[in-house]
Amino acid sequence: CFQLYGYCYQDSNDIPDTLTTITELGSPLEMIQLLQTSWEDRFRICLSLVRLLHYLAHSPLGSVTLLDFRPRQFVIVDGELKVTDLDDASIEESSCTTNSDCFMEFPARNFTLPCSVEGRCQSMNEKRNLYNAYRFFFTYLLPHSAPSSLRPLLDKIVNATGNHNKHGIAKYLLFYPSPSVNSEFTQKCVKSANTEYRRMPEAFIPDENYRCWPSYHHKGCLLSVFDVNEAMEICDSYSQCKAFVLTNQTTWTGRQLVFFKMASNHIVPDPDKITYVKVTD
């Protein structure tokens, strides 16, 4: 949830006991813009949503459900998804006498949950949050342009979540991209580059940019890679790519950012960069 920096009470003639809060600033969530970002960034947003679902299910107040679980209720803060509007939050689990009283209806499908001996629908708050997260976020942000080696696993996770299987979320949490996992899927999808490259340490190509998608830079082709072999493979896949530059910057998962260039006519010294230029016959 939003970070609360402070609050104060004040009385006014119109509204007594007015509460004013000061919270961190976030960016409105625009789904179309999110779909244009890298899969790695979208994965981070989904991961933060999973953490939120876990917190709501095990909060100090009990299981909390967001009755208005829509993208407009969320913002992005430093690449993380956070909920801002808790007006429609509820900790009340629906009462029941039979399982038929625990019927949940959604536009695409319906669910019937078991009625506990205490007369409450089991995990209804948690299941409602889970399915709304699936239909509003996971189905759009996870599979779209995902690494090919991860798609079978992602399909299983998304389908399990849509079927109200909590183990789908458990797998998703365990899939947190550690260096070992990052290495595993990269080694599967990166082949040895067949093109020969000349390595030029402490060198940078300031111009010669071209645009690609998805890119971390709107005027150039800046992508994340696991290692230099993956960078070579990417450069080989673009007909206009004639060189690439390794930077000392990394993404949140530790992948290195690389500029891909369409020529190497002008190279300048830079102690923080390494340039690789295609060797032509």
Side-chain angles (χ1 to χ4, degrees):
C1 298
F2 245 24
Q3 179 68 41
L4 178 66
Y5 291 129
Y7 62 91
C8 63
Y9 289 98
Q10 64 185 46
D11 291 331
S12 65
N13 294 330
D14 299 328
I15 305 176
D17 299 327
T18 301
L19 174 64
T20 301
T21 61
I22 300 93
T23 63
E24 61 186 332
L25 183 64
S27 302
L29 192 151
E30 299 289 344
M31 191 61 66
I32 295 180
Q33 293 180 1
L34 286 182
L35 291 174
Q36 296 173 347
T37 62
S38 69
W39 181 84
E40 195 173 2
D41 288 342
R42 284 184 273 115
F43 179 86
R44 185 181 185 183
I45 290 172
C46 290
L47 185 61
S48 61
L49 179 55
V50 169
R51 294 195 187 106
L52 174 63
L53 292 174
H54 180 77
Y55 176 81
L56 292 175
H58 304 89
S59 80
L61 299 176
S63 182
V64 180
T65 186
L66 302 179
L67 298 177
D68 191 11
F69 199 114
R70 299 173 185 269
R72 66 188 180 191
Q73 307 290 353
F74 298 85
V75 295
I76 303 295
V77 180
D78 296 330
E80 302 274 341
L81 188 72
K82 297 195 176 185
V83 62
T84 61
D85 191 350
L86 296 175
D87 291 345
D88 297 310
S90 173
I91 60 173
E92 295 295 329
E93 294 277 15
S94 299
S95 59
C96 60
T97 55
T98 65
N99 291 348
S100 61
D101 296 327
C102 302
F103 180 75
M104 290 198 304
E105 184 176 6
F106 295 97
R109 62 179 306 177
N110 304 320
F111 299 94
T112 300
L113 301 180
C115 180
S116 69
V117 294
E118 293 83 8
R120 295 289 178 180
C121 296
Q122 293 184 14
S123 304
M124 177 170 277
N125 287 346
E126 181 180 4
K127 294 294 182 69
R128 182 183 287 112
N129 289 339
L130 179 63
Y131 190 77
N132 280 327
Y134 157 79
R135 71 190 185 106
F136 285 119
F137 292 96
F138 296 148
T139 54
Y140 298 106
L141 299 183
L142 269 182
H144 179 60
S145 70
S148 57
S149 60
L150 295 181
R151 286 172 188 166
L153 175 60
L154 292 173
D155 288 341
K156 290 181 180 178
I157 292 171
V158 172
N159 291 336
T161 306
N163 290 327
H164 264 175
N165 183 346
K166 288 194 292 185
H167 295 295
I169 285 295
K171 286 184 179 179
Y172 188 73
L173 282 169
L174 292 174
F175 182 63
Y176 183 87
S178 63
S180 60
V181 174
N182 200 346
S183 173
E184 182 181 354
F185 82 74
T186 302
Q187 296 300 330
K188 289 180 180 178
C189 63
V190 175
K191 302 177 181 178
S192 297
N194 296 321
T195 306
E196 184 180 353
Y197 287 82
R198 184 172 73 254
R199 184 178 185 272
M200 304 177 65
E202 299 185 359
F204 178 59
I205 304 174
D207 303 312
E208 309 295 351
N209 291 312
Y210 66 89
R211 294 182 179 181
C212 66
W213 184 91
S215 174
Y216 288 90
H217 193 281
H218 68 283
K219 291 185 178 180
C221 186
L222 180 64
L223 304 174
S224 69
V225 302
F226 175 72
D227 59 11
V228 66
N229 289 329
E230 184 177 4
M232 291 179 181
E233 184 73 13
I234 292 174
C235 190
D236 288 346
S237 67
Y238 287 99
S239 59
Q240 63 266 54
C241 182
K242 305 301 180 184
F244 60 87
V245 181
L246 299 181
T247 73
N248 61 354
Q249 297 175 298
T250 59
T251 65
W252 69 282
T253 57
R255 288 170 62 86
Q256 192 169 12
L257 290 178
V258 176
F259 277 106
F260 293 88
K261 304 288 185 173
M262 61 182 180
S264 58
N265 299 323
H266 179 49
I267 299 177
V268 299
D270 191 323
D272 298 325
K273 308 286 193 305
I274 301 176
T275 293
Y276 286 79
V277 179
K278 279 185 178 181
V279 177
T280 57
D281 297 332

